[in-house]
Amino acid sequence: MWARVKAETERDLLADGHPANCWRPASIDGVPSSSEPVLFRLARPAMRLLRPFRGLYVRAEDIGLAMLAATGQGIRGRIVENAEIRDLADRARTDSKPRFGTRS
């Protein structure tokens, strides 16, 4: 049910010309939390085996980097799936420049 509603919402947003991006991350690996369900804590090591598969695994940090990169590059009005999220994050890491001036 949730996937259908999400897909319909994405379709409606993009059809109406909204400059929104619709993000579709796959298995999200974040920082462990004391309040996370035990199943998540147990599954985390197994989930990391998906790391080589760009369409199946993403780190939470990658999602944030990808969103910042998409904003900076003016990427608007589209669906951004997992492999592209990782590509954007990778490029953001290699293209990153110091935000503040360096001392001489």
Side-chain angles (χ1 to χ4, degrees):
M1 172 74 173
W2 66 266
R4 188 190 69 194
V5 171
K6 182 178 187 313
E8 289 173 2
T9 303
E10 291 171 345
R11 185 191 64 233
D12 292 346
L13 279 171
L14 298 178
D16 288 344
H18 290 282
N21 283 330
C22 301
W23 298 87
R24 289 187 180 171
S27 299
I28 302 171
D29 186 4
V31 178
S33 166
S34 61
S35 64
E36 74 182 337
V38 174
L39 180 61
F40 288 6
R41 197 170 314 128
L42 296 174
R44 188 178 308 280
M47 185 176 70
R48 289 183 176 153
L49 296 174
L50 299 173
R51 192 174 291 163
F53 304 99
R54 298 186 72 77
L56 299 176
Y57 172 91
V58 66
R59 293 181 318 147
E61 177 183 324
D62 292 341
I63 298 170
L65 282 172
M67 289 178 168
L68 290 171
T71 299
Q73 295 173 27
I75 296 173
R76 301 278 187 276
R78 51 188 288 223
I79 294 172
V80 184
E81 297 198 17
N82 203 72
E84 187 176 7
I85 291 170
R86 289 185 61 181
D87 290 343
L88 284 165
D90 289 347
R91 280 196 306 269
R93 279 188 194 88
T94 58
D95 295 345
S96 66
K97 298 178 182 122
R99 294 191 183 270
F100 304 101
T102 58
R103 290 185 183 186
S104 304

